[in-house]
């Protein structure tokens, strides 16, 4: 570690969100480029930095700053440089000279202790003196806060977020209850808060610690997709986390329930523990659905529904089966309709007929889906504009957290605020949502808030797909409740029946072994038991065999896997595929983060909804044509550039949206040559490669195999073991989710029918 004293000659780059800064430090004998996270920094400011010198092949010597401390200017020249730099608004070169002429080397003390004396100088009124004093005090408070937080091992972006959240109250929070940090601030988890608490001297069995531990476990429950956990399991997991006795946890569990931080409900002899916010969200969804379902609807025109359907069939040259016809009839007469069906069962034809029906009635129809790729597929299938639910609702970022849910509540660090809600509902007579199995309870609640009374809501999906990444299993619970009209499409139509992808998908659902005889045109099985051979064949399929066969580029072919770890998990497969498909080259810059190399040209994916991140679409000469915010879980992109000097990685996502990621904020980005089956939901690829040998029972199940196979449009290739396919087909064990939406619906129905 080296220590340098100097002044900030130039700020090259500054990210105000996380405080990451590239600046030039003049230390008398020259200047050095520094990178780090100073909480407060101004050009002209004297400072003491400590860090490590590194040698960059292009930009030369750089210092990676570990600690940054602003210090008092030691000479009149340094004082003038600081005051005239613009660090304090309202003071320029001329005024800085007058201040120095009046107070000389005593200037900084005057600013700190007697700022009212600035009014003695011509051109500075008492009001302006107070404003200057307030600025100087604010900067001093920030610097003091940075030093204080560094003492507890907190720096950089975390320190900035703490300052923005609490201001001067941070001292009270850190010393009295640092566990609040885990609840209130993104990027600070329970483990970090617990470490700070230990340094502060908070006892291991303190009420603060136990309560925070319980709420942390409930936030993990939400991250796992459930909305509640059985009481004894909450106690056991919290006791293991905190290394305390279960009786101590039990007491605080009841205290949190009394404070309404969590909800405990007895259901079928089980004590279910909910984070308070998750329980309220389920209640709100149930109430909104039941109110929507009983609202009066607009009446049809001069034709009967049956007559209108026959007219559409004749015009479009189609013939609906009984279940498809029933779906259209129910859509016409009821506010809420659930439609589920597997591949080849005519969901698209049904949706198109419903759209045609309502358009004939001069009704406004909106189409949406949970992801950009799913919305794009919907648009291609219907010929109508379709958009993501987020975009339709006009998403905006909101940093506040739901009480009792914590920042991990929706498997995303930020809750959201939408331009569309009860006060500004969607202008539509009919809203059709596709891929409903992917919609978690938070997004569904936001959608329901924006649906006005009298609107028809048609929810379409495949109930056999994997559930949403976020908490809940909305489609399954709504169907299971029996409270709403539901059509399960079952007939496999002739054209779809010619596809072995479709036939094998339905075999898997029935628990039958898919046909692996390789007499198919779109479903292939290559039995392999050697990892190197599987790696080699996967590359050959992507590069040489499949692109011409399915008429697509190698980039469009997707490798799917059930798991993250292991030799055929996402992490290892991405290393192997990257080394061959995008190897290192002198003209390709790269950045290594936690053993993952991000290289120019890499295929990557966003792994968390980020509503704040900015994107832009650039035109000629790099000029921005359009700007917006929000990149979402499952969005695919390509790394355009890696800029080590600014520590920025630029990714181009679908629709030519470009995003600049600071190196310090790459935790939500990962390589995507291979992705988990869970992450592939809502997507469809020309060809899917599925390497399978063995894996954990919780993942090697029928539900996951079915989802993987149905992601392919033209071709599926399974590489590996026949026994692995058999194991997955036979294994009906799924990752069981504990959710209460069905119970909330029944409770409300019962109370209304009393």
């Amino acid at each position: 570690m080296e220590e340098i004293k100097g002044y900030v000659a130039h700020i090259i780059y500054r990210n105000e969100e996380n405080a990451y800064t590239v600046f030039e430090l003049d230390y008398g004998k020259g200047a050095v480029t520094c990178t780090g996270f100073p909480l407060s920094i101004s050009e002209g400011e004297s400072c003491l930095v400590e860090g490590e010198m590194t040698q960059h092949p292009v930009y030369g010597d750089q210092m990676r700053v570990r600690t940054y401390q602003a210090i008092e200017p030691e000479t009149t020249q340094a004082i003038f440089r600081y005051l005239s730099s613009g660090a304090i608004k309202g003071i320029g070169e001329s005024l800085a000279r007058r201040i120095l002429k009046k107070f000389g080397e005593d200037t900084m003390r005057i600013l700190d202790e007697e700022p009212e004396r600035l009014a003695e100088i011509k051109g500075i009124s008492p009001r302006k003196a107070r404003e200057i004093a307030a600025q100087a005090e604010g900067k001093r408070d920030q610097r003091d806060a940075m030093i204080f937080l560094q003492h507890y091992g907190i720096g950089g972006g975390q320190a900035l977020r703490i300052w923005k959240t609490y201001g001067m109250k941070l001292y009270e929070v850190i010393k009295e209850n640092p566990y609040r940090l885990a609840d209130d601030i993104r990027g600070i988890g329970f483990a970090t808060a617990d470490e700070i608490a230990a340094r502060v001297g908070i006892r291991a069995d303190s009420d603060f610690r136990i309560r925070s531990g319980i709420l942390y476990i409930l936030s993990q429950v939400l991250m796992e997709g459930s909305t509640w956990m059985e009481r004894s399991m909450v106690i056991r997991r919290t006791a293991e986390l905190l290394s305390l006795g279960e009786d101590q946890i039990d007491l605080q569990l009841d205290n949190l329930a009394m404070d309404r931080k969590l909800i405990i409900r007895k259901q079928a002899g089980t004590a279910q523990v909910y984070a308070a916010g998750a329980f309220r969200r389920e209640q709100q969804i149930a109430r909104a659905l039941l109110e929507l379902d009983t609202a009066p609807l607009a009446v049809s025109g001069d034709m009967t529904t049956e007559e209108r359907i026959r007219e559409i069939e004749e015009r479009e040259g189609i013939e609906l089966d009984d279940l498809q016809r029933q779906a259209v009839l129910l859509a016409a007469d009821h506010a809420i309709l659930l439609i589920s069906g597997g591949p080849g069962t005519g969901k698209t034809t049904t949706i198109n007929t419903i759209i045609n029906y309502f358009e004939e009635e001069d009704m406004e129809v909106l189409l949406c889906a949970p992801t950009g790729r799913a919305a794009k597929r919907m648009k291609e299938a219907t010929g109508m504009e379709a958009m993501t639910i987020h975009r339709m609702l006009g998403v905006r970022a909101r940093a506040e957290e739901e009480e009792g849910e914590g920042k991990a509540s929706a498997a995303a660090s930020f809750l959201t605020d939408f331009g569309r809600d009860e006060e500004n509902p969607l202008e539509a007579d009919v809203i059709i949502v596709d891929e409903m199995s992917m919609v978690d309870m938070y997004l569904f609640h936001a959608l329901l808030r924006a649906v006005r009374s009298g609107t028809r809501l048609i929810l379409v999906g495949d109930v056999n797909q994997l559930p949403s990444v976020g908490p809940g299993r909305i489609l399954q619970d709504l169907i299971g409740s029996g409270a709403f009209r539901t059509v399960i499409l079952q007939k496999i139509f002739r054209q779809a029946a010619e596809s072995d992808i479709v036939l094998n998908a339905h075999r898997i659902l029935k628990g039958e072994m898919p046909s692996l005889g390789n007499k198919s045109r779109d479903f292939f099985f290559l039995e392999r038991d050697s990892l190197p051979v599987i790696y080699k064949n996967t590359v050959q399929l992507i590069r040489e065999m499949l692109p011409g066969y399915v008429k697509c580029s190698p980039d469009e072919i997707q490798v799917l896997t059930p798991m993250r770890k292991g030799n055929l998990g996402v992490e290892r497969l991405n290393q192997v595929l990257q080394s061959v498909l995008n190897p290192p080259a002198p003209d390709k810059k790269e950045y290594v983060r936690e053993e993952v190399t991000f290289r120019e040209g890499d295929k990557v994916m966003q792994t968390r909804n980020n509503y704040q991140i900015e994107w832009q679409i650039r035109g000629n000469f790099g000029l921005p044509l359009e700007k917006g915010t929000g990149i979402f879980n499952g969005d695919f992109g390509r790394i355009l550039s890696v800029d080590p000097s600014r520590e920025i990685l630029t990714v181009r996502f679908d629709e030519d949206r470009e995003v600049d990621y600071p190196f310090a904020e790459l935790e939500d980005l990962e390589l995507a040559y291979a992705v988990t089956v869970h992450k592939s939901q809502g997507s469809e690829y020309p060809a899917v490669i599925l390497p399978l040998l063995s894996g954990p029972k919780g993942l090697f199940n029928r539900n996951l195999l079915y989802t993987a196979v149905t992601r392919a449009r033209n071709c599926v290739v399974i590489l590996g073991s026949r026994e692995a396919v058999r194991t997955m087909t036979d294994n009906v064990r799924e990752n069981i989710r504990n959710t209460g939406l069905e119970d909330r619906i029944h409770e409300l129905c019962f109370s209304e029918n009393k």
Side-chain angles (χ1 to χ4, degrees):
M1 297 281 281
E2 294 188 36
E3 194 175 84
I4 301 177
K5 183 188 291 185
Y7 72 91
V8 180
H10 178 48
I11 296 176
I12 300 168
Y13 172 77
R14 171 80 169 171
N15 184 323
E16 293 299 340
E17 286 297 318
N18 67 356
Y20 176 75
T21 309
V22 181
F23 61 99
E24 195 173 84
L25 182 69
D26 190 316
Y27 57 97
K29 299 177 181 178
V32 63
T33 300
C34 300
T35 62
F37 296 85
L39 179 61
S40 174
I41 185 171
S42 302
E43 289 187 354
E45 184 173 72
S46 297
C47 60
L48 180 68
V49 299
E50 187 180 45
E52 302 163 349
M53 294 300 300
T54 61
Q55 178 70 33
H56 191 274
V58 177
Y59 301 101
D61 290 339
Q62 291 186 343
M63 170 175 267
R64 186 160 296 179
V65 175
R66 300 301 179 194
T67 64
Y68 176 97
Q69 181 180 350
I71 59 177
E72 293 290 321
E74 296 175 346
T75 65
T76 55
Q77 182 183 8
I79 294 171
F80 173 75
R81 190 167 51 230
Y82 173 67
L83 293 179
S84 62
S85 68
I88 299 178
K89 292 179 181 177
I91 300 181
E93 288 190 16
S94 177
L95 191 53
R97 287 193 180 92
R98 294 206 298 275
I99 293 173
L100 272 174
K101 185 176 180 181
K102 175 71 176 177
F103 300 115
E105 294 183 357
D106 203 29
T107 296
M108 298 309 294
R109 187 193 67 78
I110 294 293
L111 282 173
D112 284 345
E113 300 175 11
E114 301 177 85
E116 68 279 359
R117 289 191 59 194
L118 292 173
E120 298 174 13
I121 297 170
K122 184 179 179 181
I124 300 181
S125 65
R127 178 180 176 182
K128 188 169 185 176
R130 288 192 296 271
E131 290 174 353
I132 292 172
Q135 287 187 61
E137 183 179 1
K139 287 182 175 293
R140 186 172 62 252
D141 289 342
Q142 276 195 329
R143 287 196 296 268
D144 292 345
M146 186 64 164
I147 294 169
F148 174 79
L149 292 171
Q150 283 178 345
H151 178 69
Y152 293 105
I154 307 168
Q158 288 184 342
L160 183 62
R161 286 192 285 269
I162 292 172
W163 172 259
K164 286 183 175 180
T165 302
Y166 302 120
M168 293 300 289
K169 290 184 179 179
L170 69 87
Y171 300 98
E172 176 186 335
V173 171
I174 295 291
K175 291 180 178 178
E176 293 184 6
N177 181 15
Y179 294 101
R180 281 185 59 186
L181 300 176
D183 293 333
D184 297 341
I185 299 173
R186 173 182 171 244
I188 297 183
F190 175 81
T192 301
D194 203 31
E195 186 178 336
I196 295 169
R199 293 179 182 176
V200 172
I202 291 177
R203 291 171 44 189
D205 62 350
S206 73
D207 292 352
F208 286 142
R209 184 169 186 259
I210 296 173
R211 288 177 171 224
S212 183
I214 292 170
L215 293 176
Y216 171 74
I217 291 298
L218 290 179
S219 76
Q220 293 300 107
V221 169
L222 290 162
M223 290 285 284
E224 293 160 8
S226 294
T227 58
W228 62 267
M229 178 179 278
E230 202 276 322
R231 179 178 181 132
S232 63
M233 184 60 69
V234 174
I235 292 171
R236 187 179 312 139
R237 283 180 57 171
T238 307
E240 290 173 358
L241 173 73
L242 304 180
S243 299
L244 293 174
E246 292 188 3
D247 56 335
Q248 295 169 287
I249 313 300
D250 198 23
L251 174 64
Q252 291 303 327
L253 198 66
D254 289 327
N255 288 339
L256 283 168
M258 291 177 63
D259 292 341
R260 305 295 291 177
K261 296 288 187 182
L262 55 81
I263 306 294
I264 302 176
R265 294 297 287 263
K266 286 285 184 69
Q267 198 78 37
T270 301
Q272 301 173 352
V273 183
Y274 293 80
F279 183 83
R280 286 197 298 270
R281 191 69 82 244
E282 288 185 341
Q283 280 187 322
Q284 291 160 349
I285 289 172
R287 185 173 295 110
L289 285 168
L290 292 172
E291 289 175 356
L292 189 64
D293 199 38
T294 55
L297 298 173
V299 295
S300 299
D302 53 358
M303 273 190 178
T304 67
T305 305
E306 285 280 9
E307 288 172 338
R308 183 73 75 192
I309 293 173
R310 282 196 294 272
E311 181 187 73
I312 294 169
E313 285 180 307
E314 290 175 10
R315 187 180 69 238
E316 300 296 324
I318 59 173
E319 183 178 351
L320 302 178
D321 77 350
D322 291 343
L323 288 174
Q324 289 176 309
R325 186 178 304 277
Q326 181 187 7
V328 182
L329 289 167
L330 290 172
D333 294 336
H334 298 282
I336 295 177
L337 173 64
L338 313 175
I339 301 175
S340 179
T345 56
K347 289 198 301 291
T348 298
T349 300
T350 306
I351 293 172
N352 282 334
T353 306
I354 290 172
I355 293 169
N356 283 326
Y357 174 85
F358 286 118
E359 286 187 331
E360 293 286 336
E361 298 293 326
D362 291 325
M363 292 187 180
E364 183 70 25
V365 181
L366 287 181
L367 307 183
C368 62
T371 67
R373 285 177 172 255
K376 184 178 179 181
R377 287 176 57 199
M378 196 179 191
K379 179 179 179 179
E380 291 168 351
T382 63
M384 282 184 62
E385 184 63 35
M387 63 186 80
T388 63
I389 300 173
H390 294 91
R391 183 180 171 193
M392 183 177 72
L393 296 178
V395 66
R396 298 191 296 258
R398 176 165 63 86
E400 294 86 0
E401 303 292 343
E402 183 84 10
E403 180 186 357
E405 291 174 17
K407 59 183 175 302
S409 58
S413 299
F414 281 76
L415 296 177
T416 52
D417 188 17
F418 294 94
R420 296 288 188 172
D421 55 19
E422 301 92 340
E423 302 300 321
N424 184 28
L426 293 163
E427 301 294 329
D429 300 302
V430 184
I431 298 173
I432 303 177
V433 186
D434 199 9
E435 294 288 357
M436 262 303 298
S437 63
M438 296 180 62
V439 178
D440 66 32
M441 73 173 180
Y442 294 106
L443 184 56
F444 191 52
H445 174 256
L447 172 63
L448 290 175
R449 288 182 62 198
V451 178
R452 65 186 179 186
S453 180
T455 300
R456 290 168 172 82
L457 183 63
I458 300 168
L459 308 177
V460 184
D462 184 347
V463 77
N464 294 301
Q465 297 280 5
L466 292 170
S468 58
V469 175
R473 44 173 198 166
I474 300 297
L475 186 61
Q476 292 92 327
D477 281 354
L478 295 185
I479 292 174
S481 73
F484 310 102
R485 284 83 185 172
T486 302
V487 175
I488 308 294
L489 300 174
Q490 296 174 338
K491 178 182 176 181
I492 302 176
F493 286 86
R494 182 178 59 80
Q495 187 173 358
E498 296 174 2
S499 165
D500 286 314
I501 294 175
V502 172
L503 294 178
N504 279 329
H506 286 276
R507 287 192 185 102
I508 291 166
L509 273 186
K510 295 175 185 176
E512 300 173 3
M513 190 71 171
S515 175
L516 304 179
N518 285 341
K519 295 179 181 179
S520 169
R521 291 178 299 175
D522 60 6
F523 196 101
F524 302 98
F525 174 72
L526 305 179
E527 187 151 19
R528 304 287 186 269
D529 58 9
S530 164
L531 284 170
V533 173
I534 290 176
Y535 294 152
K536 179 181 178 181
N537 287 171
T538 299
V539 171
Q540 288 173 329
L541 286 164
I542 294 172
R543 272 180 153 180
E544 303 162 16
M545 301 177 182
L546 290 178
Y549 187 71
V550 297
K551 296 179 174 57
C552 73
S553 70
D555 289 347
E556 296 176 274
I557 297 165
Q558 189 60 55
V559 177
L560 301 181
T561 175
M563 53 216 172
R564 294 197 59 82
K565 303 294 184 181
N567 289 319
L568 291 179
V570 162
E571 294 174 5
R572 179 60 181 146
L573 282 170
N574 273 320
Q575 288 177 345
V576 171
L577 295 173
Q578 180 195 45
S579 69
V580 179
L581 300 176
N582 189 33
D587 61 339
K588 290 181 182 177
K589 298 186 182 70
E590 60 185 48
Y591 172 70
V592 179
R593 181 186 183 275
E594 296 180 0
E595 299 182 358
V596 176
T597 300
F598 292 100
R599 184 174 298 130
E600 290 177 346
D602 274 336
K603 183 178 180 181
V604 292
M605 179 178 64
Q606 174 79 8
T607 61
R608 178 185 67 87
N609 289 340
N610 188 331
Y611 305 103
Q612 288 191 321
I613 197 165
E614 296 181 354
W615 55 260
Q616 58 182 329
I617 298 173
R618 295 187 173 100
N620 294 334
F621 310 109
L623 297 175
L625 298 178
E626 184 181 344
K627 293 183 179 181
T629 58
I631 296 293
F632 304 110
N633 189 1
D635 282 355
F636 283 86
R638 183 74 58 181
I639 297 178
L640 288 183
S641 64
V642 176
D643 187 342
S645 66
R646 295 170 56 223
E647 300 206 6
I648 292 291
L649 184 151
T650 302
V651 178
R652 177 178 289 161
F653 289 95
D654 291 342
E655 301 172 337
D656 292 328
R657 296 167 299 158
E658 294 183 15
V659 175
D660 289 339
Y661 287 84
F663 285 178
E665 296 183 7
L666 291 176
E667 66 270 17
D668 300 329
L669 203 67
E670 64 179 33
L671 297 176
Y673 298 100
V675 301
T676 63
V677 177
H678 282 86
K679 289 293 186 183
S680 73
Q681 287 175 255
S683 296
E684 186 180 72
Y685 312 99
V688 162
I689 301 171
L690 187 62
L692 297 172
L693 277 178
S694 62
K697 284 187 177 180
L699 291 176
F700 268 54
N701 60 54
R702 182 184 301 172
N703 189 227
L704 191 139
L705 180 60
Y706 170 79
T707 301
V709 167
T710 55
R711 295 308 87 205
R713 183 167 63 245
N714 299 323
C715 184
V716 171
V717 181
I718 298 177
L719 277 165
S721 160
R722 188 180 298 267
E723 187 56 36
V725 178
R726 187 183 307 280
T727 297
M728 294 183 77
T729 304
D730 291 343
N731 182 14
V732 294
R733 173 186 171 186
E734 300 176 22
N735 290 328
I736 297 172
R737 290 191 170 192
N738 296 321
T739 59
L741 179 57
E742 190 175 332
D743 293 329
R744 303 293 85 76
I745 292 169
H746 289 160
E747 288 164 2
L748 284 174
C749 287
F750 177 75
S751 65
E752 290 176 2
N753 292 330
K754 269 189 171 183

